[in-house]
Structures are given as C-alpha cells and as structure tokens.
Amino acid sequence: MIALAESGRVYENEPILFSPVPSRLALHQLMVLPSRPGRQLKVNVWRNHSIEPLLPLCAPYFAFAGVEVDWWLSAYDDSLCFAGHQQAALELLWLDASSHFAKMSDHECVTWLRGRLFALRRASSAPIVVVCLAQQVDRTRMLAACVESVGDAYWADIGVRCESAGRPVVDQRSASIAGTPLNARMHALLARDLACHWIAGAMLPPIRAVVVDLDNTLYRGVLGEDGACGVELTVGHIALQESLRALRAQGVFLGLISRNEREDVDTLFAQRTDFPLHLQDFSALEVSWGDKAAALMRLAERLRIGGDAILFLDDNLGELVEIESRLPAVRTVHAMADAELTARALNYYPGLWRWRTTAADRQRIADFAANEIRQSVLDSCGEGIEYFRNLAVRVTLVYGDRRQVPRLAELCAKTNQFNMTLKRLTEANLQALMADVDVSVCSISLSDRLTESGIVGVLVSSRHGNRLVVEELCISCRALGRRMEDVMVLGALHHLPTLDKCADIAFPVVAASRNAPARDWLKQTIGLPVRPGSGVYVAPAKLVTDFCPPPGIILETLL
Amino acid sequence: MTNAPLLSTELLPIFRAVLRRDFAFEQDIRRRETVQWDSLRHIELMFAIEDHFEVQFSEHQLATLDSLYAIAAALGELRAP
C-alpha cells in the first residue's frame, strides 16, 4: 500500500475507484482504511425507497475528494412533505416513481412535483438534486424539464446511466430485502455517479485547471529518450487526451508542466498530428528542468486561480508527493500505465464534472488568451486613455434583471479572489433580494475589441437610512488585472437608484486567505493604511457620487 | 459434492470486509450470533457476494441465507455445472 503518511492520500486506490465497473467488495475493503478528515457537508435525503445500500459505496469516493458527508435520511414519504427539514448543503430527492407516481397522469405528476420542489425551495436555498426511478421515457423527459425549471435544481437520469451500462434499472428480486427495486448490479456505478458527479457537481467548488505532465502521462514513453516519433500514443492515451480537450471546451484551463527542452516539446506537437491535443490547447506552459512545485505556483498565478482549483496529473509518484507536501491544496491524480484508467479518473474527479456549462464557462479560455494580448497593449501604450481607447472597453451595468440570476449566483458561488463578503448567495437568495425595494442587485458586464466577457461581476447593496451597504461584491478573476476594478465597482455604485441622499457607503469585509485582491482594492480605493481584515469599512458617498470613468471607456446602464 | 470448504475460504474475506470483524478460519459464522450482521449489513453482504461470484440468489435465498456455510452451500449449487 503506497500511503502518504502525512496527507493520507493513497494512489493505489485509484485503480479500484476508477475501474470500469467498481467491485463492491473492493470498495468495502477501502472503507476499513483510515482516511484523512475532510470538509464536512450535510446532505438531506427525501425519499420513498431505500438509499442505504448505496451510501457505504459512496464513502470511498467522498474520502478521495476530501469530503465527509453527514447524511440525514427522511422517513419514507410518498407525499414529500419535508417534515423535520433542517438546513443542509444539498437536498437530494431519491424517488421511486413506480409506486406513487404510477397512479397519476403525466400532467398530475409534473404539477405535483413542481409544487413539491417549490415548497422545498421556500424552505431551503441549497441545490436540489432529483434522482428518480422512472421507466417511462416521455414522463422522464417531462419530469426532467420540470425539475430544471426550478432554480438550482438538477435531474439525474438513472435510466440513461443504466442503459449505458447495459443493465436493467430495476430488479424486483431484491426489492423486498433492500427496500428498493433499484438493480443491485448498478449500485456501485450509481454510487460513483452520485458521489463524483451528481452531488459533487452541485456542492463542491469547481476545478478550474487540469495541469499535466508529459512523459508517460500524455503518451507512453520519454520524449528525451524516444524522440517525438518514438513515443507511443496508446488507445488509452487517446482517450485521456480527448477527455482533456473536452474539458477545455467546457472552460477548464489546461496547463503543461514538463522537464524537457522546450524545443523538443514544440517539435513533439508539431510532428505528432495524431495527438488529439495541440500545443495551443494549453493556456499555460512551464517547460524547464526546474522544480515542478515552483512551476505549478507560477502557472496558478498566471491563470489567476488558487491551488485548490487545480488538478495535477503526473506518472511520477515522487513528484506527486512533493506537490502534496509543498502545495497541499492542489489536487493530484496518479497518471497510471493504463491511460484509460487515468481518463476515467479524470472523468470522475469530484469537482470537474458540472451539471451545466454556461456561455461564460466556454468563454473563459478565450478571455484568458485575450488577457495576454491586453498585457502587450498595456506594455506598449502604458496605463491611461490610449490603453482603453486601443481596446475599446465597454462596461454594461444592469440592475434587477431576474433572467441574470443563474449567472450572478454562479459568480457568488465560484469567485474567491475578488469576493468581499463570501456570502455565497444562491439563486434563491438573489431572487428574494430582488424583491426587496431597499436592495439593488447589479450585474457588471465587460467587453472590448478582443472578447465579449459577458457578466463578470455582481454587486448587491442595501439602503439603511442614509447609509448604503455593499452586501456582496464579486468580480470574476478573468476580469481582474485589466485596470477596470474601479470603473466596475464605483460605476455600479454611482448609478444605483438607492444612492440618492446617502451620506456614506459601508463595505463589510470577511477576510479569507484567498480574497486578498478584493481587500487590496478596498484599501487603495478608500485610503486604508493596511489591507483590511474582517469588519465594516465606511467611506463618504462622495467617493462614488464624484466618480467619473476614465476617457476611453464606455459605461452604459440599464435600469 | 459442493466445494463448500473452498467457498468458505473465498467467502471469508467478504465477511470480514462487510461485517468489519476478523473472523477465524474453519468455523461457521451465524447471523443470529453475530451482532454486526444486522439487516443493512446483510443486504451488503449478499450483494457483495453476488457481485464477487457473479451469481444471483433467489429472492427467498436473499432473505433466508443466514450463515457462512449455508451461503457457501447455496453458492456451490449455483456454480455447479
């Protein structure tokens, strides 16, 4: 057993966890091993059939992700009255449609479920995941659409999963002892889906970048010894490279760290046109003979993401141990000799799979590339009017548009570096705030001649007498570093309908290790002597009322 | 004649893993005498055995098999040519 004494991460478990069909016995044997304490999250399970056979099989996957789940299980309740509800990080509806729903027409079923979901939504702002055994295809589609019409709610399709595994959904043979007709031969596969995709995709912060080694990771062989034409692209490595490309298309950065000569790496990608990956697919490269941990730190800084948003793949266990020791927040996966196994580990890594890919996600890679160009414009024009005119920068402020709530909630959930109060407002929270006349919710969009970045910021403010309070302020990291923070924030405050007759503006701050950029901006903007810690910082409203965007920037508002 | 002793040896690791107890070799394990063998662990045990040996017990067997030797005997019959 290869165990890292300090961190407890055991790479030898990966072949068990990510085998094509996980063995129930092997998963049980993993459970008896000590695991490192993880982040604790509570999940409420509202059900009308048993989920207990799957929960022990989920545990090794949650342990792999560094998460401890505290399951709260409701009584079996066909009516879904949500009795005894208490707050949790996620609401899981675990339903067998063959009992209760079978008596309803399609219309009755959809109407009933929508009513129950909105009732749950009134009680809880947590994400809702619905996993339902429903064998009628048309009804399944209607129920899925119904669930997805509720904010921050997701439908997990068991039928599609079973079909792809070539196994029936139900097995009445075991229904009486197991308390569920769900086919026992699907339990291990569905436990993996539940832990690594359905729950992780709704609850865990997303992984923003996958950084890979080259030799014996993206191909079999060593570039420096075998040469560009001598390294072998196996079927498994094709699958791995294609998985990486698919992640890139969803807005996950790809990074490359390799101990090789840069010239050899350039030649490799130029000559190996059979590789699914191209050199330009990588947003950041660190090719040198230096220290990989230091290279990873430089890469993270360049991508403007924290270590806990990075997943690092390497075939060398020594390198992984070194990264774990020096950068404990970085996630790691051992790139195995069987690259199909590695591809599956990537596909199932908790935090990589997301329920939805938004336009903002798909735009992320292009935005980053555009930032590199912006830097060169800055280097040639210097800061000032010419820089903004060259780029034709436009900031658009929209106040109170409910259609933008999903994107604004995504910003609140995902933004770490420029996030002033870390409130993590959900879609339900934002909808409720928009209904309050003393509260303003503003979206901030950014574009220039290089990219349409879309909505990159959210500012939520409330008026208390003659004081304006900035309740939440988040700006996406891809909008940072463009010299636009003042325009976005002060511009959004300047045009607030609720600013009228305010004497001062309060900035509550919750200090965390990751939001130093937000706090540094506040320090500079309102003239604090040091970077602010947690507390409330007040500035005169004049700071905002007198604000005027620099020439060269177009600032437009939609109230 | 079933190969019950061999199956008991193959079954023992499954019992140990699911019931989280280090059982000795060459003795039967009975549900009524094993406090860890509750209803939830029984489900896990039977499903893990089915998964490992690629067999399917009948509904009746799933509910009533209640000892290592009984399960071994049932497995032997299922796997007999």
Side-chain angles (χ1 to χ4, degrees):
Chain A
M1 179 71 66
I2 302 169
L4 302 170
E6 289 178 10
S7 73
R9 197 170 300 181
V10 181
Y11 293 105
E12 232 176 49
N13 293 347
E14 287 177 12
I16 296 169
L17 294 173
F18 302 113
S19 67
V21 180
S23 152
R24 205 165 187 133
L25 173 61
L27 290 175
H28 271 288
Q29 287 168 333
L30 285 184
M31 289 178 229
V32 303
L33 300 171
S35 59
R36 58 181 175 161
R39 181 179 164 201
Q40 294 200 325
L41 294 167
K42 184 177 173 192
V43 175
N44 287 340
V45 183
W46 307 98
R47 52 30 179 304
N48 67 351
H49 70 126
S50 174
I51 191 175
E52 282 86 340
L54 274 77
L55 299 187
L57 305 177
C58 292
Y61 292 101
F62 283 122
F64 181 77
V67 173
E68 282 182 57
V69 174
D70 174 20
W71 300 96
W72 181 88
L73 306 183
S74 75
Y76 290 177
D77 179 14
D78 276 331
S79 69
L80 290 183
C81 68
F82 306 119
H85 178 270
Q86 293 191 8
Q87 292 304 316
L90 185 131
E91 311 282 354
L92 176 64
L93 271 60
W94 183 256
L95 303 175
D96 174 12
S98 65
S99 56
H100 183 54
F101 295 30
K103 301 168 195 147
M104 301 182 190
S105 68
D106 287 349
H107 176 73
E108 285 169 343
C109 196
V110 170
T111 304
W112 173 83
L113 183 60
R114 182 178 290 119
R116 295 291 81 217
L117 288 171
F118 278 112
L120 181 57
R121 181 47 81 226
R122 283 192 292 277
S124 169
S125 58
I128 299 172
V129 174
V130 181
V131 184
C132 184
L133 283 180
Q135 295 193 71
Q136 299 155 286
V137 172
D138 289 345
R139 177 169 287 201
T140 299
R141 282 199 205 108
M142 292 171 67
L143 292 174
C146 165
V147 168
E148 282 160 17
S149 70
V150 177
D152 211 7
Y154 311 97
W155 172 273
D157 199 327
I158 281 191
V160 164
R161 192 64 190 91
C162 293
E163 196 178 321
S164 70
R167 297 176 178 189
V169 176
V170 301
D171 179 4
Q172 294 295 347
R173 181 186 57 94
S174 58
S176 58
I177 70 152
T180 171
L182 184 59
N183 184 359
R185 295 180 65 220
M186 282 300 300
H187 287 181
L189 286 167
L190 290 174
R192 183 164 67 187
D193 285 335
L194 194 58
C196 298
H197 283 181
W198 300 336
I199 291 179
M203 264 197 337
L204 297 185
I207 290 175
R208 295 287 190 82
V210 178
V211 179
V212 298
D213 169 50
L214 263 187
D215 293 332
N216 287 310
T217 298
L218 289 188
Y219 47 76
R220 180 182 295 160
V222 177
L223 178 60
E225 295 168 8
D226 302 318
C229 295
V231 298
E232 186 186 352
L233 186 69
T234 69
V235 169
H237 289 103
I238 291 173
L240 176 60
Q241 290 196 23
E242 285 175 347
S243 292
L244 289 164
R245 285 208 81 199
L247 286 170
R248 183 183 184 277
Q250 293 162 32
V252 176
F253 291 115
L254 298 186
L256 179 68
I257 293 181
S258 178
R259 287 213 183 89
N260 266 297
E261 297 293 340
R262 178 61 194 256
E263 189 184 331
D264 291 344
V265 173
D266 289 343
T267 302
L268 172 76
F269 283 96
Q271 288 188 356
R272 294 303 295 262
T273 54
D274 55 330
F275 277 19
L277 276 172
H278 310 293
L279 198 59
Q280 59 266 31
D281 290 331
F282 296 98
S283 296
L285 287 86
E286 287 275 344
V287 180
S288 71
W289 296 101
D291 176 61
K292 279 194 180 179
L296 198 50
M297 284 192 278
R298 287 193 298 270
L299 194 147
E301 194 177 323
R302 192 161 159 215
L303 294 176
R304 298 180 187 277
I305 56 178
D308 60 352
I310 296 176
L311 176 64
F312 178 59
L313 269 67
D314 200 309
D315 69 300
N316 187 316
L317 286 167
E319 297 283 7
L320 293 173
V321 169
E322 175 78 3
I323 295 290
E324 276 220 25
S325 165
R326 291 172 57 187
L327 303 171
V330 171
R331 327 294 183 83
T332 55
V333 164
H334 181 217
M336 295 165 269
D338 178 356
E340 284 201 61
L341 210 50
T342 309
R344 202 172 300 110
L346 196 64
N347 291 336
Y348 278 103
Y349 197 90
L352 257 182
W353 185 92
R354 311 308 295 177
W355 280 101
R356 294 182 187 129
T357 300
T358 63
D361 291 327
R362 289 186 286 273
Q363 185 60 31
R364 185 171 296 120
I365 308 295
D367 253 356
F368 178 78
N371 264 343
E372 306 273 275
I373 299 173
R374 289 186 194 100
Q375 186 59 46
S376 67
V377 170
L378 183 66
D379 291 342
S380 67
C381 295
E383 295 189 28
I385 299 171
E386 277 313 307
Y387 169 71
F388 295 121
R389 281 201 178 126
N390 183 304
L391 292 176
V393 179
R394 178 185 297 267
V395 176
T396 305
L397 308 169
V398 178
Y399 297 85
D401 188 342
R402 289 180 181 277
R403 293 169 299 177
Q404 297 180 336
V405 162
R407 171 57 181 154
L408 300 183
E410 184 186 28
L411 279 167
C412 291
K414 291 182 179 179
T415 306
N416 292 305
Q417 295 184 2
F418 204 107
N419 186 329
M420 203 68 81
T421 64
L422 300 169
K423 281 190 174 168
R424 307 293 184 199
L425 297 173
T426 64
E427 289 187 32
N429 294 148
L430 287 163
Q431 292 284 5
L433 287 167
M434 281 186 173
D436 189 333
V437 296
D438 290 319
V439 174
S440 176
V441 177
C442 176
S443 72
I444 304 165
S445 299
L446 192 56
S447 68
D448 61 22
R449 67 173 171 85
L450 298 172
T451 57
E452 289 277 344
S453 297
I455 297 175
V456 295
V458 53
L459 188 148
V460 180
S461 61
S462 62
R463 177 156 179 169
H464 300 267
N466 63 353
R467 170 167 289 183
L468 191 76
V469 179
V470 179
E471 303 283 359
E472 182 61 290
L473 172 57
C474 304
I475 298 177
S476 168
C477 56
R478 70 174 192 260
L480 301 179
R482 301 197 215 175
R483 313 295 188 271
M484 294 299 301
E485 290 85 343
D486 281 358
V487 175
M488 289 189 284
V489 180
L490 299 181
L493 288 169
H494 178 85
H495 289 281
L496 272 176
T498 45
L499 180 65
D500 188 37
K501 296 192 180 67
C502 280
D504 53 42
I505 299 175
F507 291 89
V509 173
V510 171
S513 58
R514 305 263 313 267
N515 68 352
R519 293 185 284 131
D520 285 341
W521 172 84
L522 188 65
K523 166 180 175 275
Q524 191 173 342
T525 303
I526 68 174
L528 298 172
V530 296
R531 178 190 291 161
S534 297
V536 180
Y537 300 85
V538 181
K542 201 171 171 347
L543 169 75
V544 169
T545 54
D546 287 354
F547 173 75
C548 193
I553 296 177
I554 300 168
L555 182 63
E556 58 184 10
T557 59
L558 296 170
L559 295 170
Chain B
M1 176 155 179
T2 65
N3 53 349
L6 180 62
L7 287 171
S8 296
T9 310
E10 288 183 64
L11 279 168
L12 205 53
I14 302 177
F15 273 73
R16 284 175 173 158
V18 175
L19 300 182
R20 312 262 178 117
R21 183 171 148 182
D22 198 10
F23 296 102
F25 277 105
E26 296 182 359
Q27 72 180 45
D28 199 7
I29 304 166
R30 298 188 186 92
R31 183 174 177 178
R32 64 177 181 273
E33 295 166 5
T34 309
V35 65
Q36 294 89 351
W37 193 338
D38 59 19
S39 56
L40 193 54
R41 294 265 169 88
H42 177 74
I43 296 165
E44 271 311 305
L45 190 62
M46 299 308 291
F47 286 159
I49 292 167
E50 285 192 327
D51 186 53
H52 183 74
F53 290 98
E54 296 183 335
V55 296
Q56 279 200 335
F57 295 114
S58 69
E59 187 174 347
H60 178 73
Q61 285 175 320
L62 282 175
T64 59
L65 288 171
D66 61 359
S67 77
L68 170 64
Y69 287 179
I71 292 170
L75 262 178
E77 286 174 15
L78 281 172
R79 295 172 76 189

